[in-house]
Amino acid sequence: MSTGTSPTAPKTEVVEEVVIRFAGDSGDGMQLTGSQFTTTSALVGNDLATFPDYPAEIRAPAGTIPGVSAFQVRFASNDIHTPGDAPDALIAMNPAALKVNIKEIKKGGLVIVNTGNFGAIDLTKANYTYNPLESHDLDAFQVVQADLNKLTKEALAGLGLDTKATLRCKNFFALGMTYWIYSRPMEPTLEWMKSQFKKRPELVEANQRALKAGWNWCDITGVFQSRYEVPPAKLTPGKYRNVMGNQATALGLVAAARLSGLQLFLGSYPITPASDVLHDLSKFKNFGVVTFQAEDEIAAACATIGAAYAGNLAVTTTSGPGLALKGEAIGLAVMTELPVVIVDVQRGGPSTGLPTKTEQADLLQAVYGRNSEAPLCVIAAKSPSDCFDAALEACRIAVEHMTPVILLTDGYIANGAEPWLLPDVAKLKPINAKFRTEPTDFLPYSRNPETLARPWVKPGTPGLEHRIGGIEKADGTGNVSYDPANHEFMCRTRAEKVERIANFIPEAEVKGAQSGKLLVISWGGTHGSIASAIEKCEAAGKKVGWVHLRHLNPMPRNLGEIIKRFDKVLVPELNLGQLVRLVRERYVVPAIALNKVQGRPFMTSELVTAIEKELA
Amino acid sequence: MTPVTLTKKDFKSDQDVRWCPGCGDYAILNAVQSVFAEMGMDRSKTVIVSGIGCSSRFPYYMSTYGFHTIHGRAPAVASGIKLANPELDVWVVTGDGDALSIGGNHFIHALRRNVGLKVMLFNNRIYGLTKGQYSPTSLVGAVTKSTPNGALDNPFTPVSVALGAGAAFVARSVDVFGKHLTETIKAAAQVKGSAFVEILQNCNIFNDGAWMHVTDKDVKDDSIVELRAGKPLTFGKTSQFGLRLNGFDVQKFEIGKEGAIDDCITWDPGMPNPGLAFAFAQLAEREMPMPIGVFRNVERANYERAVHQQIAEATAKSGQGDLAKLLNSGDTWTVS
């Protein structure tokens, strides 16, 4: 029952999904705000996908366009694969955030603007010569103007915090507003604040007050006509947690160490966007994980090779520029046939490129980027949670086939989050790590007849002392050999060893049409966008087949046969055409390239348009 | 089981040694094999790691475990081996180009961290394997294939670089000084952390006689001073010269004429302040005798042991990691 004086209670609309984007200055705490919204949405049971998008500079000049940091989250009651194309709502903390993001917001969408940062200076910093709030720029949107600075100050009055500390809480005022609008509970964030600021009770109080004040402001003022509710998603039953790609990679590596019974060694050098794997693994000391922050990328790779030689599950993590630096060392791992896992969290390039933006342009570097004939295994992860399985797979192949393996992830899935159906640890397949200990008839370069793997011998094993190195090996003995015929034999053997991995990996599966006009072949982090596009096409009655590759070198044995069943092959990638070259070369088909290199993922709509064009 | 006594021969591999006849590396190989036999080292627990260059062929000639890596990177590979298994005895064999030019970064960082590696740098002041270009220890004016008009850049003194990197054990010896060399290698073998030994080595093909001015038997008494712990620093055929401190500098004097033997510096490689060791590292560049022996030998926390200590402490505190618990950590929810 209404008590009479409050404005008309807003109606609550149930919707299937919402995409919102928090945008502000890089000092405004947008990443934190977005991840809190994500955690809360996960806990209410939505399916979700996130897209953090932040500048490479820690703090670009405040209020400017390069300093804008954004976090997009899509939460849904249905099964979703991407963070969404056009947001339904934008929270813009300053003019620069408005300017950068408004063009992507759905027409008719909700735009909440913090007018507290819309003074003349703020507008100038964002290169506005006028005030967009007083123009027709926003006519197509439902705009809610609120001075979050003033409202936060009022909410925190009497706490004794200075203005700077007070204003730092305004992101939680904004978060409180969104919690009210989208009917999210505040408790998870209130609890999180308690643990986050454990040693600063005044900050717990301030942030909690700001969050509640944002909620209450919406409740009292009646500014919003509607509230929305997104019911829980019908996900596969089981226990879930929210996970980011880099986190899942780290967990997958720890799991691989357990499943192989090996000590995990990580040799790494800080590089965006891969560093979080190093950070996470350095916390897992009680799992016996040795993390080594080396002096440079080369040392990280070389120490990893040393650890593999000494019998550890040895991993190095990096991004594109680091992979380039590690190239010579990886060649040594190819020559000495040691199990080394190299994780490349791809980013925009070349050179420093776009360190915080995503790209898939290291595929050819991974497959070919070493001197001479240096074949190795390349696999890729397709989503944040899939990084766990991909890390396990990389370790398994490395150890069971005695070869370096490059695992490609990318900035988009490394920093993006999604709900992860937790695996049953007891059901994870063990990794078969075997060390040779028998001295009789020992030859360092003898081979397993099926895999062609050479024996792995830990230094410290009596009777098996031997020498290895980067100089060509004589077949069997591993002694230095300059014999021409031996060199060709060894080059071919190393290549065949990698090719034979195809006998141990699953065959490719075609989703959708099993034959016909068009086959889409994709790899890596574009999986979500392409899955959405394929679903849309199918819903519209269009027939298209789709293969998403985990294994890029070697490729699944049946891929050639699948390609033959279709008239055309379309290869969408976030590069200028790399997998498409491999497909054209290996299967001699005129595969069509669909490329985007803007540091951003594909939009579902872009893919649907391209697929329709090829089907027409 | 009675321990098997190994001889020098037991440390030889079955491979033919392929250094040029007359190369200083033969003497060093011989010395290392003698020391390893004498110290009763376990072949199966010993790993010799090298980079690229003539000296870096060393592992092939030893019957221990061996890893011939890539140019300059031996300290990094060796660090990984030692971190993965601290029980292994890990030796690095490198050269002046390998350690100080292409591998300079790994060299200084391994010493800075005090990883338990024994690093032997064969310094012949030339690139031998690439057939005679100047190296970072070649003298200004050195005429080589790549510097036909003379080298222009100032050389490194390896001992100075090692001391500058904070190395805990730093020594110098000479390929042809058999006894001194074996004693120095033996001292290095007993160090827990990083041990660095520069070995002045002759390349008789591309830089023959690079050290003749100090090592030749006619001049060595007057041109070399041996650093011996607890002993006064004297040199000369009849020990007629001494070295004393003059302010912050080292001064040469004739004992009896210009001062007394008590004026000589008594050598202490364990001095906490590396200043004097550094002054001695620079000595030979200043028309003074070339010091050989142990410049510095101090205790410092050993990196790989500290790394494993942290792991042990974390495990003692939180218990052995439980994978299921780790995966299930954070905010979880159940969909039924």
Side-chain angles (χ1 to χ4, degrees), chain A residues 248-377:
Chain A
T249 302
L251 293 171
L253 296 172
V254 174
R258 273 299 151 89
L259 294 171
S260 59
L262 300 172
Q263 174 172 279
L264 180 61
F265 177 94
L266 174 75
S268 188
Y269 184 77
I271 185 168
T272 303
S275 303
D276 280 338
V277 182
L278 167 63
H279 302 163
D280 274 5
L281 286 176
S282 62
K283 285 183 236 159
F284 302 152
K285 294 216 164 22
N286 64 326
F287 285 82
V289 180
V290 175
T291 54
F292 175 57
Q293 183 179 318
E295 57 272 21
D296 57 35
E297 293 280 359
I298 298 171
C302 288
T304 302
I305 291 169
Y309 171 68
N312 278 10
L313 179 63
V315 182
T316 182
T317 49
T318 189
S319 187
L323 185 64
L325 284 164
K326 293 178 198 291
E328 189 197 9
I330 297 170
L332 177 68
V334 169
M335 187 59 126
T336 51
E337 304 188 40
L338 287 168
V340 171
V341 173
I342 303 109
V343 181
D344 173 10
V345 185
Q346 300 164 97
R347 66 189 215 186
S351 187
T352 307
L354 305 171
T356 61
K357 313 292 178 193
T358 199
E359 207 161 275
Q360 290 186 297
D362 291 347
L363 176 59
L364 293 180
Q365 181 181 206
V367 175
Y368 294 123
R370 291 158 296 284
N371 60 303
S372 187
E373 298 292 343
L376 48 67
C377 176

Side-chain angles (χ1 to χ4, degrees), chain A residues 536-568:
Chain A
K536 280 211 164 152
C537 290
E538 282 180 339
K542 306 217 155 71
K543 296 261 180 282
V544 53
W546 173 38
V547 170
H548 191 82
L549 295 174
R550 147 89 78 225
H551 299 92
L552 296 151
N553 194 46
M555 289 184 187
R557 280 188 301 178
N558 62 333
L559 189 59
E561 182 269 313
I562 292 171
I563 289 172
K564 282 191 191 135
R565 306 201 301 248
F566 291 85
D567 300 340
K568 283 188 191 178

